[in-house]
Amino acid sequence: MAEYRFLSAWLLDASRDSVWEAIHDQKAWPTWWRGVEEVVELVPGEDDGLGSRSRMVWRSLLPYNLVFETHTVRVERPNLIEGTVDGELAGTGRWRLYEQDGATAVLYEWNVRTTRAWMNLLAPIARPIFAWNHDWVMARGGEGIAKLLGCRLLARG
């Protein structure tokens, strides 16, 4: 399996609480995040989302969908959400939120392995394309959450 490690960031002119609510509500992502085709809650988990499990379908400009299940394993409101994924991707994702002077920095760590045979076969030459694809999806997320919250996306990376 090919391994990928990504670190993405959004800086939003919004409170951490409002950003937290948008990120925490995964079922609503398809309404504001271009690239998230579907989120189906399989297990609701506890009140804070701990233990929840969802099936997600993602699509970018590349002509394929990625389907995987997420399992929320750590929740520290309003600072941290961590989950594991399995399916066509396997690994971990971690959201960290920081607020200062009314702006919220969002850091997303995505450490995954591809499980599709064709992706693993192409990994040596397609790695830059897969990285570009991830960056494209995360940029759409930053734009979408800013629009949802009616704030400015001050920076992304």
Side-chain angles (χ1 to χ4, degrees):
M1 288 188 237
E3 293 188 16
Y4 297 86
R5 296 186 175 281
F6 300 107
L7 180 61
S8 303
W10 303 330
L11 182 60
L12 297 155
D13 189 16
S15 72
R16 177 171 43 192
D17 286 338
S18 63
V19 174
W20 169 271
E21 290 300 329
I23 291 171
H24 188 259
D25 186 9
Q26 290 182 351
K27 291 179 292 194
W29 288 5
T31 65
W32 59 265
W33 192 333
R34 185 174 170 203
V36 183
E37 296 292 309
E38 181 179 59
V39 177
V40 176
E41 185 177 72
L42 304 173
V43 176
E46 298 176 19
D47 289 341
D48 64 358
L50 185 65
S52 66
R53 185 173 282 277
S54 298
R55 184 176 59 83
M56 296 188 158
V57 179
W58 292 75
R59 181 154 182 111
S60 69
L61 293 179
L62 297 179
Y64 64 87
N65 287 347
L66 280 174
V67 180
F68 51 85
E69 288 187 12
T70 65
H71 180 224
T72 304
V73 298
R74 190 170 162 200
V75 178
E76 296 174 10
R77 180 179 170 67
N79 304 308
L80 174 79
I81 303 172
E82 184 174 333
T84 59
V85 297
D86 55 75
E88 294 176 334
L89 295 176
T92 61
R94 184 177 302 114
W95 294 98
R96 295 183 187 271
L97 286 72
Y98 305 90
E99 182 178 14
Q100 183 175 343
D101 299 327
T104 299
V106 178
L107 297 179
Y108 185 64
E109 300 169 63
W110 187 230
N111 301 314
V112 293
R113 298 174 312 281
T114 52
T115 63
R116 284 180 146 182
W118 71 267
M119 292 178 86
N120 293 328
L121 182 65
L122 291 177
I125 57 172
R127 183 174 293 276
I129 296 167
F130 294 156
W132 171 86
N133 192 54
H134 172 81
D135 292 343
W136 183 90
V137 168
M138 291 305 295
R140 302 300 75 77
E143 294 164 359
I145 197 170
K147 185 175 181 181
L148 173 74
L149 299 177
C151 70
R152 291 180 297 145
L153 177 62
L154 302 170
R156 69 171 190 248

